[in-house]
């Protein structure tokens, strides 16, 4: 429970109190304050030393010593006392410390200083062993609203509600037993009627050889109110007043645990407004907010008692309910879904304009026969909602457990992919590209390979789409770019000078805002001439956002980088982009080369592509060439460069160099 913080001013006043009271009171004050601000203990020691060094001439103690109390050391309530459990009342002693005159003996200045000090704490008092008050500060009198003389006839029990006296006795007993500062949150009765929530601190003391307790209390009512308000803010949506996702997750955990414990079921419905963004765009955000509030009201009205409603995100709501069997949960969920769809289908009215909305609902039941207890109810419902949206909306879809082993295999491969990145299990292979007539190697294409520790060499077709789906493709693409440039520079130093290295660029990598800077960093790191770097991109990548693609390609072309369209002929039918973008090469897709000898259609397509490339001044590269007959026909058609297993398969850098050393490959002589 948070308590009121003691400011620097309060600390200073506590220090003043320590220097003006006797050794016993200083010890009590020091113990009371230590748990609030431990760093001040050293300063209390300084105050003690200063007090000891004060001149004796003309000086009197700041406060008179308390008179010996005519009381025997009675134990606190609960140990000895009357039938009610309270200690037998003793006659009020002449407790000078309780009366202002006791302070006045020190002089007006000392009196003001001491009372200012004591007012820094909401409640500060000294009680004897029977919990009768020996001393109460002036600030405490104002805080509690009692007359000082009346307070002298009370014990601490009279200031605590009757249902908390046992807790008070336990606190006092702990303090007496441990000899340390003990704390509890209780209520003190103001004017015997109004309870005030405080944190009460109690320390067992011996003043003039008489046992008792030092008390300090800080009001925490305002802190509790603030804490409750903050808790409400953290768990509720400010727009609709519904519980938010944070509260829903806690409720889901509790519902799933309850379902497992009681062998019952829970159902979660995720409700998403179809095409809600058109409201914001067409009518404005004020209209959107108004309709979201109205939607929240309608869903709440459609839900029955025990069905919990929350707002998950912008236009997504949730309904959580419990039922006995799986069939009962499904029936109840379907009933709620129909009510919600019907409520949302009613016309909305905003500034005299009527608007119609619909919703998609995904439903998940927990647990079911296939999904394990650790599965997330929220994740299952979200999957069902995605299916509902894909189906066109305005529909209810129940999550169907999927026990397809391929899903588990994909998850395992995904985990292995992350592990492979951490362990550096990736490498580059290079496939030569030759001039079609001379057969001399002019460049290489850099291709990433994954050497899995268990499954061996994993083909790129198996892990590249996975890397794109989980966001690792940018990391892998940037690594390939730097490694390819470094390898070309290393070959230069060994006397194997190629014209260029081509690197594949994925759509995600191309659209990354940092892509241009990553390219500049790679060139600066390796020192490679930009004109020797070719980026292979797809037609779909170019046409996803032509304006942005033009801007990026022109910026990279300004550096000297050239571009080749990979898998040409398999993408967009419109060829206008060929003159729109700064391109240098076309790579005919291998699907046209595979049946080139037997298919007249493929021959016609390749002939047309060759003519198109020549008319636009573009080099033409044929991929997937595997036979001499294919190469001869491509040369006859006018294809510029050849790539495929006929020349060489993709090899690691060292093996590729041995092919040159063994004269199986040779470099194209410079023009």
């Amino acid at each position: 429970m948070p308590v009121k913080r003691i400011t620097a001013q309060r600390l200073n006043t506590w220090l003043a109190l320590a220097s003006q009271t006797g050794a016993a009171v200083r010890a009590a004050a020091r113990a009371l304050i230590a748990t609030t601000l431990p760093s001040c203990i050293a300063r209390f020691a300084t105050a003690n030393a200063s007090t000891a060094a004060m001149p004796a001439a003309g000086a009197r103690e700041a406060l008179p010593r308390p008179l010996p109390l005519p009381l025997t050391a009675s134990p606190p309530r609960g140990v000895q006392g009357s039938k009610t459990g309270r200690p037998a009342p003793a006659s009020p002693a002449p407790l000078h410390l309780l009366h202002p005159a006791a302070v006045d003996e020190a002089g007006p200045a000392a009196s003001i200083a001491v009372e200012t000090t004591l007012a820094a704490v909401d409640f500060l008092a000294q009680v004897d062993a029977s919990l009768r008050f020996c001393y109460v500060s002036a600030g405490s009198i104002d805080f509690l609203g009692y007359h000082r003389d009346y307070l002298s006839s009370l014990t601490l029990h009279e200031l605590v509600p009757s249902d908390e006296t046992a807790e008070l006795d336990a606190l006092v007993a702990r303090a007496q037993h441990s000899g340390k500062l003990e704390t509890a949150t209780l209520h003190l009765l103001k004017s015997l009627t109004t309870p005030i929530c405080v944190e009460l601190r109690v320390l067992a003391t011996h003043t003039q050889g008489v046992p008792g307790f030092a008390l300090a209390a800080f009001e925490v009512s305002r802190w509790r109110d603030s804490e409750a308000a903050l808790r409400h803010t953290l768990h509720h949506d400010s727009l609709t007043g519904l519980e938010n996702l944070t509260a829903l997750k806690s409720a889901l955990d509790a519902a799933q645990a309850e379902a497992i414990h009681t062998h019952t079921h829970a159902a979660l419905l995720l409700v998403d407004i179809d095409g809600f963004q058109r409201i914001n765009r067409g009518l404005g955000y004020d209209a959107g907010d108004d309709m979201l509030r109205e939607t929240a009201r309608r869903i709440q009205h459609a839900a029955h008692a025990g069905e919990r409603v929350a707002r998950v995100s912008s236009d997504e709501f949730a309904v959580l309910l419990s039922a006995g069997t799986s069939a009962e949960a499904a029936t109840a969920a379907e009933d709620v879904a129909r009510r919600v769809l019907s409520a949302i289908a009613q016309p909305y009215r905003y500034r005299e304009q009527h608007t119609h909305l619909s919703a998609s609902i995904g439903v998940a039941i927990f647990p079911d026969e296939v999904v394990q207890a650790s599965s997330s109810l929220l994740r299952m419902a979200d999957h069902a909602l995605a299916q509902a949206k894909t189906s066109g909306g305005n529909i209810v879809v129940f999550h169907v457990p999927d026990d397809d082993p391929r899903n588990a295999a994909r998850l395992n491969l995904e985990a292995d992919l992350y592990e492979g990145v951490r362990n550096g299990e990736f490498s580059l292979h290079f496939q030569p590209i030759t001039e079609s007539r001379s057969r001399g190697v002019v460049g290489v294409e850099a291709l990433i390979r994954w050497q899995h520790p268990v499954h061996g060499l994993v083909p790129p077709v198996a892990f590249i789409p996975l890397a794109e789906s989980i966001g690792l493709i940018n990391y892998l693409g940037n690594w390939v770019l730097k490694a390819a440039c470094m390898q070309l520079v290393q070959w230069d130093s060994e006397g194997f000078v190629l014209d260029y290295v081509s690197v594949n660029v994925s759509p995600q990598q191309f659209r990354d805002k940092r892509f241009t800077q990553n390219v500049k960093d790679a060139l600066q790191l390796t020192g490679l001439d930009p004109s020797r770097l070719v980026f292979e991109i797809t037609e779909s990548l170019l046409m996803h956002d032509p304006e942005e693609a033009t801007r990026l390609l022109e910026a990279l072309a300004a550096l000297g980088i050239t571009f080749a369209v990979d898998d040409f002929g398999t993408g967009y039918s419109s060829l206008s982009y060929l003159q729109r973008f700064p391109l240098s090469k076309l790579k005919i897709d291998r699907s046209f080369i595979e049946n080139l000898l037997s298919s007249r259609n493929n021959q016609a397509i390749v002939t047309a592509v060759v003519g198109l490339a020549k008319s636009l001044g573009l080099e033409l590269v044929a991929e997937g060439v595997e036979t001499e007959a294919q190469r001869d026909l491509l040369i006859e058609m006018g294809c510029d460069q050849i790539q495929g297993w006929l020349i060489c398969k993709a090899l690691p850098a060292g093996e590729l160099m041995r092919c040159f050393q063994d004269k199986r490959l040779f470099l194209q002589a410079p023009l």
Side-chain angles (χ1 to χ4, degrees), residues 6 62 451 555 584:
I6 297 182
Q451 186 65 42
S584 299

Side-chain angles (χ1 to χ4, degrees), residues 89-109:
S91 301
L95 306 177
H96 289 223
L97 280 177
L98 191 65
H99 199 276
V103 178
D104 291 341
E105 293 182 13

Side-chain angles (χ1 to χ4, degrees), residues 375-418:
S375 297
S376 168
L377 187 57
L378 185 61
R379 185 178 66 250
M380 293 189 294
D382 189 63
H383 180 69
L385 177 61
Q387 291 179 309
K389 302 292 284 188
T390 303
S391 300
N394 196 25
I395 191 175
V396 181
V397 173
F398 279 75
H399 176 265
V400 177
D402 188 356
D403 56 351
D404 189 339
R406 290 176 298 180
N407 291 332
R410 185 183 186 280
L411 287 176
N412 290 334
L413 188 62
E414 179 180 317
D416 290 347
L417 188 57
Y418 279 105

Side-chain angles (χ1 to χ4, degrees), residues 75-89:
R77 176 183 175 272
V79 180
Q80 173 181 333
S82 64
K83 293 182 180 180
T84 64
R86 299 195 177 187

Side-chain angles (χ1 to χ4, degrees), residues 56 90 106 108 135 153 200 276 281 336 353 360 421 424 460 464 547 621 666:
Y135 170 79
S153 66
L200 181 62
F276 184 76
R281 291 192 296 264
V336 174
Q353 180 173 344
S360 300
V421 169
I464 290 298
E547 288 75 17
V621 182
F666 62 92

Side-chain angles (χ1 to χ4, degrees), residues 139-159:
S140 302
I141 296 296
D142 296 336
F143 177 71
L144 292 175
Y146 296 100
H147 192 276
R148 188 181 293 272
D149 293 336
Y150 177 69
L151 193 60
S152 64
S153 66
L154 301 179
T155 67
L156 185 58
H157 286 106
E158 273 73 33
L159 298 186

Side-chain angles (χ1 to χ4, degrees), residues 271-276 292 295 315 317 344 357-360 389:
V271 184
D272 187 86
I273 307 300
D274 296 328
F276 184 76
L292 288 175
T295 300
D315 58 344
F317 299 84
I344 294 176
L357 298 178
S358 64
S360 300
K389 302 292 284 188

